[in-house]
Amino acid sequence: MSEDWQVISDLLDEGQLHSFHWEALLKRICIVTQCLRTGSDGEGLERVPVLLSFTDIEVLFIGHHPTKLNIAPEDYKLKRKLSHDDLKHWEFSPLEFYLSVNSPQRIEDALFAFDRQWIIGEESDLSGSDYSIVISLSHSPILGLPTNNIELLFACGGISVESQGAPLDLDTWTMQYKAWWESWKTYWDKKLEDREIGEDSAGLEEVFIPAGIEPPPDLDYFPPREPAFQLEPHDLPEELVRPIRMWFESKHSGDGVMRAQSSERLGKDLAEQAEDEEEDFIENFDGWGYARQIDSWWSRGSVSFVEVRGLEHRMPFEGRTEENTETVWSFQLRWREDRWIIRTLSQGWVPSGSAPAKAAAEKSWLKDWTSGHLKTNREKSF
């Protein structure tokens, strides 16, 4: 039964959370969402609310953590926290969210929040309930700026769905979800074919613009034969170096198993993750990273942060010449059982200003790059 409910994560894709209502005495949580649906008669239902009810609530947890990966737990300051009163009287504007059912990875993510509030129960009580629900609000502005990541975790004994006052079974909801995207595809096929539909002539279809159709990459292309991972002297412990080295080297070797091991996710076996990584390798074939120095790092208990500077090589493509650009990667790592794994990362490019610049004197590795012009903050070639 629980396996059936996991499909809700997909059905709520691109949906919005309109309200969250915790009824403490009834041990019930109700949320109202609007999501992408089309009825069997072609009627657009994307603005018709869907009500999800979760009963027999035994655990309720609120977690907060920063959106910036480099903020250490002791430096994380909240202007205000989402409170249990907010959950009883939701007064926020509609916002994007992600809901998961019985996802070990999402549960772990919630429990790794820097600020934790157990409103009902405790972590050990999660195993005694049929369903563990996580509602993730990423980069949420509801507590003011800077934005925060907010995790609402609760355990319940039952789930029900209704819309327009009648039960909504998962099969019907799935058909409605698929019908909306089929209609979206039809709309854009026609628009791209005859170019006659004006930008203001459509509704929600115009919001979800399809990516351009690109020819497949040249999978025989080889990036520069420079070392993928060659760090200047540093003091980063080897146990933290290992998963980051695997992450960089696996892209160059096309080793999906190695990439999966560097950031192993709960709830999915390694072979499945390796297949996902190999598909991603082909979809994102045109970029390769080269790690050269550790800019900064910290480690606090079971959470660590590492900032790596180097460069990204982009292959020639569709009239674009090859590029080598100074880049900074930010990794947040998590201790799991007996090793560190990469949980999340971000990337910025120095010439564009999305990553901090450093003087050439602070980057002795620049002189060792011999495979073409390297775009740095000073736009010089080394």
Side-chain angles (χ1 to χ4, degrees), residues 149-161:
N149 294 329
I150 303 172
E151 312 286 352
L152 301 173
L153 165 64
F154 52 93
C156 66
I159 306 174
S160 62
V161 185

Side-chain angles (χ1 to χ4, degrees), residues 224 226 288 290 292-293 309-314 322-329 349-351 360 363-382:
E226 306 271 356
W288 292 264
Y290 296 80
R292 289 299 181 264
Q293 72 183 74
R309 185 177 295 264
L311 62 111
E312 182 184 52
H313 173 80
R314 307 277 293 193
E322 67 177 27
E323 296 178 345
N324 303 304
T325 308
E326 185 179 355
T327 303
V328 175
W329 292 268
W349 293 264
V350 174
K363 300 176 292 192
S364 60
W365 52 269
L366 289 173
K367 65 181 184 301
D368 297 323
W369 179 261
T370 61
S371 299
H373 172 68
L374 171 56
K375 294 166 61 178
T376 71
N377 45 299
R378 295 184 178 182
E379 289 296 312
K380 288 185 177 179
S381 183
F382 294 86

Side-chain angles (χ1 to χ4, degrees), residues 185-203:
K185 184 178 184 302
T186 300
Y187 169 85
W188 278 101
D189 284 348
K190 177 173 175 54
K191 180 165 186 172
L192 294 173
E193 180 181 346
D194 57 29
R195 309 284 179 174
E196 293 179 357
I197 303 176
E199 289 189 1
D200 59 352
S201 65

Side-chain angles (χ1 to χ4, degrees), residues 119-343:
I119 308 301
I120 302 174
E122 55 189 28
E123 184 176 347
S124 60
D125 297 324
L126 290 171
S127 60
S129 297
D130 292 331
Y131 308 105
S132 292
I133 313 298
V134 178
I135 294 178
S136 300
L137 308 175
S138 299
H139 295 269
S140 174
I142 64 176
L143 301 180
L145 297 176
T147 60
N148 294 272
N149 294 329
I150 303 172
E151 312 286 352
L152 301 173
L153 165 64
F154 52 93
C156 66
I159 306 174
S160 62
V161 185
E162 64 179 80
S163 182
Q164 297 176 298
L168 177 62
D169 64 83
L170 292 184
D171 288 341
T172 300
W173 191 358
T174 299
M175 287 188 291
Q176 293 172 346
Y177 175 79
K178 290 180 177 179
W180 194 93
W181 283 107
E182 288 170 0
S183 175
W184 172 88
K185 184 178 184 302
T186 300
Y187 169 85
W188 278 101
D189 284 348
K190 177 173 175 54
K191 180 165 186 172
L192 294 173
E193 180 181 346
D194 57 29
R195 309 284 179 174
E196 293 179 357
I197 303 176
E199 289 189 1
D200 59 352
S201 65
L204 214 51
E205 289 87 353
E206 288 286 348
V207 176
F208 305 106
I209 301 173
I213 300 174
E214 298 181 343
D218 178 8
L219 298 180
D220 293 327
Y221 180 83
F222 287 101
R225 299 293 196 180
E226 306 271 356
F229 195 83
Q230 184 171 280
L231 298 179
E232 296 293 299
H234 60 85
D235 61 353
L236 186 65
E238 179 57 31
E239 60 187 3
L240 285 169
V241 171
R242 182 176 181 272
I244 296 174
R245 177 192 290 274
M246 293 169 65
W247 188 86
F248 278 96
E249 292 184 344
S250 62
K251 177 58 187 283
H252 287 256
S253 64
D255 189 333
V257 173
M258 183 189 294
R259 177 61 70 96
Q261 288 174 330
S262 72
S263 54
E264 194 168 345
R265 299 186 298 277
L266 296 177
K268 208 168 192 180
D269 66 43
L270 191 62
E272 291 178 305
Q273 292 179 55
E275 289 181 7
D276 292 342
E277 296 293 351
E278 287 164 3
E279 290 179 7
D280 183 72
F281 174 76
I282 295 174
E283 291 176 5
N284 299 284
F285 183 76
D286 66 338
W288 292 264
Y290 296 80
R292 289 299 181 264
Q293 72 183 74
I294 303 297
D295 275 6
S296 64
W297 71 276
W298 52 257
S299 187
R300 304 289 187 273
S302 54
V303 179
S304 292
F305 167 81
V306 181
E307 189 172 73
V308 180
R309 185 177 295 264
L311 62 111
E312 182 184 52
H313 173 80
R314 307 277 293 193
M315 66 185 287
F317 191 65
E318 287 292 279
R320 180 191 72 198
T321 60
E322 67 177 27
E323 296 178 345
N324 303 304
T325 308
E326 185 179 355
T327 303
V328 175
W329 292 268
S330 296
F331 295 90
Q332 192 173 93
L333 299 97
R334 186 170 299 170
W335 182 258
R336 186 181 290 156
E337 295 182 355
D338 60 353
R339 65 190 181 94
W340 289 99
I341 59 103
I342 298 168
R343 182 56 198 122

